[in-house]
Amino acid sequence: MLSVTELMQLLTPGGRRITVASEAMSPAADDPPVDVAASDPRPEIGEPSAVDLDLPALVADLTPADLVGFYRDMVLVRRFDEEATSLQRQGELGLWASLRGQEAAQVGSGRALGIHDMAFPSYREHGVAWCRGVDPAAILGIFRGTSLGGWDPDEHGFALYSIVVGAQTLHAAGYAMGMSRDHSTGAAIVYFGDGASSEGDVNEAFGWAGVFGAPLVFFCQNNQWAISEPARRQSRTEIFHRASGFGFPSVRVDGNDVLACLAVTRWALATARAGHGPVLVEALTYRMGAHTTADDPTRYQASEQLERWRRLDPLDRLRTHLAAAGHLDGQREQRLALEADALAHDLRVRCRALPDPDPAMLFDHVQVTDNALVTAQRAAFVAARAGSADGRDVAGGGAGADGSGVGAREGTVVAGERRGSGATW
Amino acid sequence: MVTGGLATNGAATNGLATQEVARASEARTSETRTSEARTSETRTGPASGSAQPAPITLAKALNLGLHAAMAADPKVIVMGEDVGTLGGVFRVTDGLQREFGEARVIDTPLAESAIVGTAIGLAMRGYRPVCEIQFDGFVYPAFDQIVSQLAKLHYRSAGRIRLPVTIRIPFGGGIGAVEHHSESPEAYFCHTAGLKVVACSNPHDAHHMIQQAIRSDDPVIFLEPKRRYWEKAVVDPRPLPDLVTGSVDAVDAAGAAVGLHRSVVVRAGTDATLVGYGPTVRTCLDAAEVSAADDDRSLEVIDLRSLSPLDLGPVLESVRRTGRLVVVHEAPSNVSVSAEVAARVTEAAFYSLEAPVLRVTGFDTPYPPARIEDHYLPDIDRILDAVDRSFAF
Ligand SMILES: Cc1ncc(C[n+]2csc(CCOP(=O)(O)OP(=O)(O)O)c2C)c(N)n1
Ligand SMILES: [Mg+2]
């Protein structure tokens, strides 16, 4: 069992709101803290860097409507995620990486961000994207294979997804260094996983952000798994303990508690914005589904562990609290369900309507200035496609069903390059 | 991350490569062979001893090859992300941890630089690490360890240090994947002195080549054509070059099979020569089939197999007969394997060439979103168009 002082909470798994600072740092015994020990024994090494926070005060301003708003965020994000999973099953997406179980960590931290802040996601931060106003259909496009990016990072304060594990932490460190040089009023936050914490890039980002006092919040969602490998394969200490070695503070928060995640992230961002340098937040949560739709977790995951975490569901916790406090009646729940249905329906329609890119787009934006080789390849490609009407008809298939170009017997050599090296494809 | 739909293109092409090879070998050799108990894979190969060997997938052939290598040498260890309990995201290491234990099949922390860097240290202690890089696009964090350390320590130590490290990399596109899962990084490694780079294209070869790579005392970048993982063929107990030439695999000074670095004619032809490796060998064979049926042309197909060092002997021999050469790969064209082949063939067989060496490659762009990858990848049409252009020259 984890020492209770190491897991900050504002909503107990039973849905009780904690209002006393000392209690937030050591949740009361009536609600057992998250039990990771049984499945994930770790050696007791070192002391956590003690951070003394008045957690309840950090969210004292929240109105009941705010709380209902967070609940709505989580319900809609979960529904978006479920719809994406079923779109993948139906062949509309090539792949989907589900955030199920991590809604509170993402909505809590995402809602702590202001307009001058900049978030750097990995590939599972659909809930943060939601909070940053990114169109979920743009995210579906990445997994459908119609785009590699999908949104303007500056417009949303939300960088592009990063599939190369850990790489984005260095971008965030550099961005935050730029923010402090420019006297920005904002801070950066970077999302990464327990697995990512092993990458050199992440540890280098810790070092740099520390040395340069960069206004950067490292937000690690420890969802206990990196594909098939449990978190204990990545680190002998708790991940949040690492910050002290790099010289900056850290906290661990109950990642299934949206209020605590919000409070801790607010504090971390404020610390960074105030010029005190980086903060590491470890949000302890659980990946409730497969790594992606291509994964088969039954090969490595014990069903009892999943069951234990199912009882700690982040949505249930806030719903229980709101219902008990009289802020969420059946009618409101029903309206929300309808809204979720409408969102899912809209996304399904728009996802299926996402057009395949124009093939000539292959050659767009390779770099800012023209590259003669790419230009020549584009010209040959376009010419071959134009000539494909009388192109060769390949018996027995194998050619694209669209009869796509480059089969033309004539016209594939770029003008003036009869002996040229341009048509190299 | 892997996508579905990987198994779709395999069924129709079962065993074709092996049939082609058998045909080619029939055409070239008639002498009897002394194939018995020559190399360890002869004894442990899945096809040995059974009268009617069943076709197996390329992934399974690698799996059995790894198994044989681990059984043959206790110093062989397998290390990588998700290679243990899960058996790898492509299941190439499936069952190995159960069989050989966690000490020899290591689920590593998520750090590619460390996978290769620690493999170097283990190799210095006499181990023979087989590293798995989960996908082509994730080898780059290990780039320094590969090109500055792994490739150079033998040279720097005046030969005192040997690093028998195999780095397995599933490579190439065509599986509808998200970014960084479809790349062809071979040129970077071919450009680096001190590394050997090979690519298998079919189950039979995969099975033998992985064992030869592991036995090599030099570091080997071992490229696996991921979209061909599910294609099936019979695995013959004799390595492919032996099967084709009728010779017996020679062994170099260090005892490693030189057959690993031989290119091989996998379809005999007389009119033009197609050269491919990894995933494009199948595409070339299919193109040759279509060309024979539609154009009455006889295309010879050569599987390079070894990208560094290159074995251009069979290519030159072929080009001297056909006078026409088309080189096909998924990687971009600029400073690529096909560029090297073209330059060397032009140097060595200039007067035999009826047309310039032509290339069919990926474009010099980043790998595109999956929905348009078919336009990026060389296909039958583009290959036959290049053949047309060669004849029209
Ligand atoms: C550099 C790199 N290596 C390997 C991979 C393949 N891969 C994708 S996700 C993943 C596990 C990541 O685990 P974690 O950081 O905990 O994030 P989670 O998936 O749990 O959100 C791996 C190994 C990758 N994308 N990038
Ligand atoms: Mg994780």
Side-chain angles (χ1 to χ4, degrees), chain A residues 5-8 25 45-53 237-253 264 267 278-282:
Chain A
T5 55
E6 296 186 18
L7 190 75
M8 299 191 176
M25 308 284 284
I45 293 175
E47 285 296 310
S49 30
V51 173
D52 194 13
L53 286 185
T237 77
E238 306 297 342
I239 291 168
F240 80 111
H241 286 189
R242 289 200 196 165
S244 65
F246 286 95
F248 54 88
S250 64
V251 294
R252 178 158 54 190
V253 62
V264 160
W267 164 78
V279 175
L280 170 61
V281 176
E282 178 184 354

Side-chain angles (χ1 to χ4, degrees), chain A residues 30-340:
Chain A
D30 60 306
D31 281 311
V34 175
D35 169 19
V36 267
S39 60
D40 193 7
R42 294 155 191 268
E44 283 294 329
I45 293 175
E47 285 296 310
S49 30
V51 173
D52 194 13
L53 286 185
D54 186 348
L55 216 54
L58 285 159
V59 291
D61 60 308
L62 297 177
T63 64
D66 291 332
L67 298 186
V68 172
F70 301 144
Y71 181 64
R72 172 179 172 273
D73 284 335
M74 292 200 289
V75 166
L76 296 183
V77 164
R78 176 166 292 185
R79 186 55 199 271
F80 159 38
D81 187 71
E82 286 168 347
E83 198 61 22
T85 298
S86 78
L87 282 165
Q88 194 282 333
R89 301 249 179 275
Q90 292 152 17
E92 296 293 338
L93 302 180
L95 184 82
W96 182 247
S98 169
L99 68 7
R100 195 179 186 89
Q102 300 175 219
E103 294 89 348
Q106 295 193 14
V107 168
S109 61
R111 285 298 176 205
L113 296 169
I115 54 165
H116 299 299
D117 298 325
M118 181 72 184
F120 288 80
S122 72
Y123 43 80
R124 206 188 288 282
E125 271 68 68
H126 321 314
V128 185
W130 171 264
C131 296
R132 301 304 275 170
V134 171
D135 182 356
I139 298 174
L140 295 178
I142 294 172
F143 290 91
R144 184 173 171 86
T146 56
S147 96
L148 301 175
W151 55 88
D152 177 358
D154 280 344
E155 182 189 338
H156 295 282
F158 190 72
L160 297 183
Y161 271 9
S162 171
I163 288 175
V164 179
V165 164
Q168 73 280 10
T169 55
L170 283 167
H171 310 162
Y175 194 95
M177 287 164 64
M179 287 174 125
S180 66
R181 280 163 184 261
D182 300 341
H183 308 291
S184 164
T185 54
I189 184 169
V190 60
Y191 292 86
F192 61 102
D194 43 294
S197 73
S198 288
E199 287 282 7
D201 279 5
V202 176
N203 290 277
E204 290 169 24
F206 287 164
W208 278 57
V211 164
F212 290 103
L216 174 58
V217 176
F218 290 100
F219 196 93
C220 178
Q221 289 170 85
N222 180 351
N223 65 5
Q224 322 258 343
W225 294 99
I227 308 187
S228 71
E229 298 191 16
R232 67 174 169 277
R233 182 39 53 122
Q234 309 295 341
S235 182
R236 187 163 164 177
T237 77
E238 306 297 342
I239 291 168
F240 80 111
H241 286 189
R242 289 200 196 165
S244 65
F246 286 95
F248 54 88
S250 64
V251 294
R252 178 158 54 190
V253 62
D254 183 337
N256 286 15
D257 173 348
V258 68
L259 285 192
C261 286
L262 175 78
V264 160
T265 311
R266 278 181 168 185
W267 164 78
L269 287 166
T271 304
R273 291 186 199 116
H276 302 311
V279 175
L280 170 61
V281 176
E282 178 184 354
L284 193 62
T285 179
Y286 199 79
R287 195 190 78 205
M288 292 300 294
H291 168 67
T292 66
T293 45
D295 178 34
D296 173 13
T298 62
R299 280 184 162 245
Y300 55 82
Q301 189 185 47
S303 57
E304 311 83 64
Q305 190 188 36
L306 189 63
E307 206 31 64
R308 209 164 40 246
W309 279 89
R310 214 187 295 276
R311 289 196 299 274
L312 297 167
D313 188 284
L315 274 68
D316 290 348
R317 192 181 303 197
L318 185 54
R319 185 194 304 110
T320 307
H321 171 71
L322 290 173
H327 302 317
L328 191 70
D329 57 16
Q331 219 181 0
R332 182 76 185 88
E333 281 247 62
Q334 213 178 345
R335 277 213 312 281
L336 195 48
L338 288 175
E339 190 184 359

Side-chain angles (χ1 to χ4, degrees), chain A residues 199 228-229 233 294 377 424, chain B residues 2 82 107-108 112 359 364:
Chain A
E199 287 282 7
S228 71
E229 298 191 16
R233 182 39 53 122
Q377 289 177 354
T424 52
Chain B
V2 191
D82 307 288
D107 267 333
T108 67
E112 292 76 12
R359 301 190 277 156
D364 288 276

Side-chain angles (χ1 to χ4, degrees), chain B residues 215-290:
Chain B
R215 281 204 304 274
S216 167
D217 278 343
D218 283 308
V220 179
I221 306 293
F222 190 90
L223 300 163
E224 303 171 0
K226 71 171 84 77
R227 69 174 148 131
R228 310 294 184 201
Y229 269 142
W230 283 267
E231 293 191 6
K232 286 185 175 178
V234 172
V235 170
D236 191 282
R238 286 156 302 175
L240 187 57
D242 293 12
L243 193 62
V244 171
T245 62
S247 65
V248 170
D249 195 6
V251 166
D252 69 13
V258 297
L260 177 61
H261 299 292
R262 298 244 288 270
S263 63
V264 161
V265 175
V266 289
R267 178 187 173 107
T270 52
D271 297 339
T273 307
L274 301 181
V275 165
Y277 57 85
T280 60
V281 173
R282 159 59 40 210
T283 321
C284 288
L285 288 169
D286 290 346
E289 202 72 41
V290 172

